[in-house]
DNA sequence: ACAATAATAAAACGAACGTTCAATTAATTC
DNA sequence: GAATTAATTGAACGTTCGTTTTATTATTGT
């Protein structure tokens, strides 16, 4: 047989991406065979090569678009003319919301870096570093303004990111806690961790957190 | 050829374990072939099967002994008759020290769980849960005693563990910060995060942290 | 309706995989 | 020093892998 009735390139490619994210997140990139992926989509393995020249190209595409999406989400969520505490709160909210919505894709982007070729690895890491740099800037400005009390900006940024991203490891929607509750708790933990002063009308105040979530 | 001069089962098995931890941490379990592992040890692939009946048995052994080592380390480091802040400080110190010393093994135990058979996965997760439970107990007792102010014990425990374990992702010995400095900063971040009261002579006080490290 | 193009199937490629087996040699035991 | 045991090799097994090639059919444009 050959082309099947109702076949559509765009739909097939989208189905391949979605199935690939799920399979890689569940079994790992190396453990996912192109035949298994094709079966998931309902197509023969050879058909995949119409959309992605190699298996690694597929992985890289998924990662690049995930990182690009993260950058865009922050660009959109980032407040203008806000004090450091409000900026930090926005960063935390955006980070947690984005990663909870994309648990599988985040797993792929974080755990399969070693399967990329050196220059592609560099590209992804560059995007990640740029995103993390935004957090460091907020922390530094907050520390300089006296709003935060931080010992080491770089180390604190890494600790916060690991803490926030770690949500996807244990969080399951529909269990004990809602996304709103989790986000609120992480916000207050973050604010305490950076020693945020609580004497202003910033978004860091618990009551405010509930309202602006 | 056959048995080689100077060959020794114990030495070979130890070499296999060490090489396996490094290879799996760097390239992933699925990406590590038995032939590549054997080459690293300086032996033929068939020789590996004298020590581990299957590839998965090798992985499981590495993970089980890592988790068992963590349990023993905490059993030894755990203070008796200490207030919650001191116990928490001991937990943080032990956790960071253990994981920095065993970066590769930790990577294996955290990232290759999906390659285990269901019942072996359950065994490893049980060990992990038991270890995490210790932290939850400390947090709960501290909260009940009024030493900590915590919104959600379980969520705080997960956040702390993710934050601390995350050290191995970015920490490289011999770079900007020493293990001692990193541990001290993580200790004070932890104490702020749990809202530890600073009005007692606990190990949570920065000056004390420096002394008891 | 007919040509051009898009989307797939089917089969095959060589390479690599985990694992097994028989043969062989080194070390140990008696 | 002969018998036994421990450690390893080299070759092979069947399977699966990513990928390529060729043929075939559906859709689109004219």
């Amino acid at each position: 047989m050959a082309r099947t009735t109702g076949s559509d390139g765009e739909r097939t490619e989208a189905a391949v991406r979605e199935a690939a994210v799920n399979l890689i997140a569940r079994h790992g990139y190396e453990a996912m065979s192109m035949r298994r992926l094709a079966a998931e989509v309902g197509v023969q393995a050879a058909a995949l090569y119409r959309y992605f020249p190699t298996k690694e190209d597929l992985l890289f595409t998924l990662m690049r678009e995930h990182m690009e999406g993260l950058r865009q989400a922050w660009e959109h969520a980032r407040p203008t003319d806000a004090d450091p505490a409000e900026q930090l709160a926005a960063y935390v909210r955006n980070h947690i919301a984005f990663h909870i919505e994309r648990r599988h894709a985040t797993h792929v982007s974080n755990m399969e870096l070693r399967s990329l070729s050196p220059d592609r690895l560099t590209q992804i890491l560059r995007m990640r570093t740029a995103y993390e740099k935004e957090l460091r800037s907020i922390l530094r400005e907050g520390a300089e303004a006296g709003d935060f009390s931080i010992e080491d900006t770089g180390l604190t940024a890494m600790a916060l990111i690991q803490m926030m991203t770690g949500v996807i490891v244990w969080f399951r929607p529909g269990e004990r806690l809602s996304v709103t509750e989790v986000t609120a708790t992480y916000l207050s933990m973050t604010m305490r961790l950076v020693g945020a002063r609580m004497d202003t009308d910033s978004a860091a105040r618990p009551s405010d957190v509930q309202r602006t979530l």
Side-chain angles (χ1 to χ4, degrees), chain A:
Chain A
M1 259 186 280
R3 180 167 188 171
T4 55
T5 64
S7 62
D8 178 341
E10 278 194 37
R11 268 217 311 276
T12 303
E13 177 168 351
V16 170
R17 286 166 192 253
E18 191 191 327
V21 167
N22 284 322
L23 281 179
I24 298 176
R26 270 211 302 265
H27 308 292
Y29 170 75
E30 298 278 355
M32 177 196 74
S33 74
M34 296 299 269
R35 285 173 178 82
R36 176 96 170 75
L37 172 58
E40 204 80 11
V41 178
V43 99
Q44 291 297 316
L48 303 175
Y49 289 84
R50 166 162 262 274
Y51 307 100
F52 303 97
T54 67
K55 191 184 177 188
E56 197 208 314
D57 278 288
L58 168 57
L59 176 65
F60 178 65
T61 301
L62 297 177
M63 286 186 174
R64 182 166 34 77
E65 294 181 355
H66 178 76
M67 296 308 296
E68 178 59 22
L70 181 57
R71 191 192 62 77
Q72 284 178 14
W74 170 236
E75 195 173 294
H76 182 262
R78 161 185 231 157
T80 54
D81 296 329
D83 63 40
E86 279 169 14
Q87 285 193 47
L88 178 56
Y91 195 95
V92 171
R93 281 194 208 97
N94 180 67
H95 188 93
I96 292 180
F98 185 88
H99 285 86
I100 282 189
E101 271 172 25
R102 294 169 178 80
R103 270 181 48 220
H104 288 323
T106 302
H107 254 111
V108 173
S109 287
N110 286 349
M111 315 238 313
E112 306 294 349
L113 289 167
R114 56 191 168 200
S115 295
L116 292 177
S117 68
D119 68 303
R120 285 177 159 173
L121 173 62
T122 302
Q123 287 184 56
I124 299 294
L125 289 183
R126 238 196 280 277
M127 298 174 84
R128 195 162 85 169
T129 303
Y131 173 73
E132 293 167 353
K133 195 179 168 188
E134 299 277 311
L135 176 56
R136 276 198 296 275
S137 297
I138 295 172
L139 295 180
R140 197 183 331 106
E141 287 166 18
E144 286 171 358
D147 293 351
F148 303 152
S149 66
I150 290 173
E151 299 183 24
D152 186 304
T153 304
L155 193 147
T156 303
M158 295 313 291
L160 283 177
I161 286 180
Q162 296 292 340
M163 180 183 91
M164 291 187 293
T165 308
V167 169
I168 64 167
V169 174
W170 55 266
F171 181 78
R172 293 295 176 279
E175 281 192 1
R176 185 168 65 89
L177 297 167
S178 70
V179 179
T180 307
E181 291 167 326
V182 169
T183 306
T185 305
Y186 269 76
L187 253 178
S188 62
M189 287 193 296
T190 300
M191 291 304 168
R192 281 207 300 265
L193 193 151
V194 302
R197 289 186 304 121
M198 287 300 169
D199 51 6
T200 68
D201 261 311
S202 83
R205 275 177 39 209
S207 59
D208 227 18
V209 165
Q210 299 290 357
R211 268 196 283 112
T212 60
L213 209 64

